[in-house]
Amino acid sequence: MEKIIERMKKIKTGKILDFATGGGQFVNLLMNSLGKYDRITGIDTNEKAAKAFEANFKDKPVEFINKDAYNTGFKNESFEMVTLSNSLHHFDDIDKILAEMKRVLKKGGYYIINEMHCDEGQSEPQKTHIMLHHWWASVDSRLGIFHAETLKKKAIEKLVKKLKPAESEMFEYAYRVEDPLDPKLTEYLQNSIEPYVNRLKDHEDFEMLRTRGEELKFRLKKIGYSPADSFFFIGKNKFANVLSGIFYQDSTKLIQTLFLTDSF
């Protein structure tokens, strides 16, 4: 982790575009870890996200713009860095998103893609996170919201290689909680399940998904929760020179920013 932290500190860049920014969780991490940047623009089409974003970044060199990530409307080569965090599985046409990221990135600019994965070999509390996330996806899908299950690491690697970076580095990391059975954390997640599934009350699959939700509540109580492993990619567009890296945050805050907000 120390190597990755040091790499991020060395990144000095200009304008940044964060795709599918939500409430700006990843923007916050960039602001607190990059060596230097000029301005960050976050784009999303979620109105609730816009309000949260604006509240989070008052008087900061950051802006939110309501834009479609598939067609941002920005000129070619407008940004020195483009980022996407925990959102690949929220797009039904990933190739189109990657093409748009590539189009707006300047020569020599940075790609950063951060994505949790669902590979085997993770701890039981981590499996809780994966199961919970896939349950969120099942609910959203029945509401007509595209939300796929999280990807395998090899699938993510294959996707980012489509960017054809001149240079790249790939990292795997995980943030462990001190106590996966921490009541504050598990109760927060347990309490989120009922209102999430209740949006489907008139759907034929409501009872099935409600039952799965109750099973997840029981699992949270008995096994607990810990963030799943994540894949972190840094690439340089052609004419690149230096590669740099990742972020560090207090683990409790990081759980809230990276993982608990993804589907809400």
Side-chain angles (χ1 to χ4, degrees), residues 59-72:
D59 304 318
K60 303 289 184 183
V62 176
E63 64 176 340
F64 179 99
I65 302 178
N66 190 318
K67 278 186 178 289
D68 179 3
Y70 290 119
N71 183 18
T72 65

Side-chain angles (χ1 to χ4, degrees), residues 4 32 49 64 75 100 103 107 114 174-175 183 248 252 259:
I4 299 173
N32 289 311
F64 179 99
K75 293 180 180 179
E100 185 68 355
R103 184 187 70 78
K107 300 295 188 292
N114 175 59
Y175 286 88
Y248 176 77
T252 302
F259 300 109

Side-chain angles (χ1 to χ4, degrees), residues 1 4 114-115 117-122 126 153 157 169-176 228-233 246:
M1 181 58 70
I4 299 173
N114 175 59
E115 187 82 5
H117 66 75
C118 60
D119 283 25
E120 297 296 328
Q122 302 190 50
Q126 286 182 299
K153 186 169 68 171
E157 289 177 356
E169 288 195 22
M170 302 178 189
F171 304 95
E172 185 173 4
Y173 72 97
Y175 286 88
R176 302 287 186 258
D229 289 344
S230 288
F231 175 93
F232 199 96
F233 164 82
I246 203 173

Side-chain angles (χ1 to χ4, degrees), residues 134-166:
H134 291 181
W135 180 80
W136 286 335
S138 294
V139 174
D140 286 347
S141 296
R142 286 163 174 82
L143 288 168
I145 301 166
F146 186 86
H147 189 172
E149 294 188 351
T150 52
L151 302 168
K152 297 282 188 181
K153 186 169 68 171
K154 283 187 177 180
I156 302 170
E157 289 177 356
K158 186 177 179 180
L159 285 167
V160 298
K161 285 178 181 177
K162 291 183 178 183
L163 293 168
K164 298 181 180 179

Side-chain angles (χ1 to χ4, degrees), residues 222-237:
K222 294 297 181 181
I223 294 174
Y225 169 97
S226 187
D229 289 344
S230 288
F231 175 93
F232 199 96
F233 164 82
I234 305 158
K236 271 281 219 172
N237 209 355

Side-chain angles (χ1 to χ4, degrees), residues 3-17:
K3 280 186 180 181
I4 299 173
I5 295 167
E6 287 307 310
R7 287 182 180 280
M8 193 61 162
K9 289 178 181 177
K10 292 176 183 177
I11 292 181
K12 294 182 179 179
T13 190
K15 293 189 297 181
I16 302 169
L17 180 62

Side-chain angles (χ1 to χ4, degrees), residues 26-259:
F26 198 64
V27 167
N28 186 57
L29 295 173
L30 292 171
M31 289 174 64
N32 289 311
S33 57
L34 284 171
K36 181 182 179 298
Y37 68 93
D38 292 336
R39 187 169 185 82
I40 303 176
T41 299
I43 59 171
D44 209 306
T45 55
N46 187 314
E47 291 183 7
K48 289 183 180 178
K51 291 179 181 178
F53 194 102
E54 290 169 3
N56 289 336
F57 301 110
K58 272 190 175 181
D59 304 318
K60 303 289 184 183
V62 176
E63 64 176 340
F64 179 99
I65 302 178
N66 190 318
K67 278 186 178 289
D68 179 3
Y70 290 119
N71 183 18
T72 65
F74 292 114
K75 293 180 180 179
N76 293 349
E77 300 183 31
S78 297
F79 296 90
E80 283 79 18
M81 177 184 284
V82 291
T83 63
L84 180 70
S85 179
N86 282 322
S87 295
L88 283 175
H89 59 285
H90 283 280
F91 292 111
D92 60 357
D93 191 343
I94 296 175
D95 286 347
K96 191 172 181 179
I97 289 295
L98 297 178
E100 185 68 355
M101 292 178 75
K102 190 174 183 67
R103 184 187 70 78
V104 300
L105 182 64
K106 289 185 178 181
K107 300 295 188 292
Y110 288 96
Y111 298 105
I112 295 183
I113 294 179
N114 175 59
E115 187 82 5
M116 67 174 281
H117 66 75
C118 60
D119 283 25
E120 297 296 328
Q122 302 190 50
S123 70
E124 287 302 316
Q126 286 182 299
K127 289 177 184 177
T128 300
H129 179 205
I130 295 167
M131 293 168 68
L132 182 60
H133 203 108
H134 291 181
W135 180 80
W136 286 335
S138 294
V139 174
D140 286 347
S141 296
R142 286 163 174 82
L143 288 168
I145 301 166
F146 186 86
H147 189 172
E149 294 188 351
T150 52
L151 302 168
K152 297 282 188 181
K153 186 169 68 171
K154 283 187 177 180
I156 302 170
E157 289 177 356
K158 186 177 179 180
L159 285 167
V160 298
K161 285 178 181 177
K162 291 183 178 183
L163 293 168
K164 298 181 180 179
E167 303 174 25
S168 65
E169 288 195 22
M170 302 178 189
F171 304 95
E172 185 173 4
Y173 72 97
Y175 286 88
R176 302 287 186 258
V177 295
E178 289 185 12
D179 179 11
L181 290 166
D182 173 38
K184 187 175 181 181
L185 176 59
T186 56
E187 286 174 15
Y188 169 83
L189 288 166
Q190 286 175 303
N191 291 337
S192 73
I193 287 173
E194 187 174 345
Y196 207 83
V197 74
N198 279 347
R199 299 179 300 161
L200 280 178
K201 273 190 173 178
D202 296 327
H203 196 280
E204 62 182 358
D205 292 334
F206 171 70
E207 287 300 331
M208 179 270 289
L209 287 165
R210 188 187 65 79
T211 300
R212 280 179 56 189
E214 291 301 314
E215 291 168 354
L216 283 167
K217 285 184 183 181
F218 182 78
R219 184 180 177 90
L220 283 161
K221 185 175 181 180
K222 294 297 181 181
I223 294 174
Y225 169 97
S226 187
D229 289 344
S230 288
F231 175 93
F232 199 96
F233 164 82
I234 305 158
K236 271 281 219 172
N237 209 355
K238 57 184 178 180
F239 308 136
N241 292 313
V242 182
L243 279 174
S244 302
I246 203 173
F247 50 81
Y248 176 77
Q249 285 275 330
D250 170 76
S251 59
T252 302
K253 183 177 180 182
L254 190 69
I255 291 165
Q256 293 290 337
T257 58
L258 281 187
F259 300 109

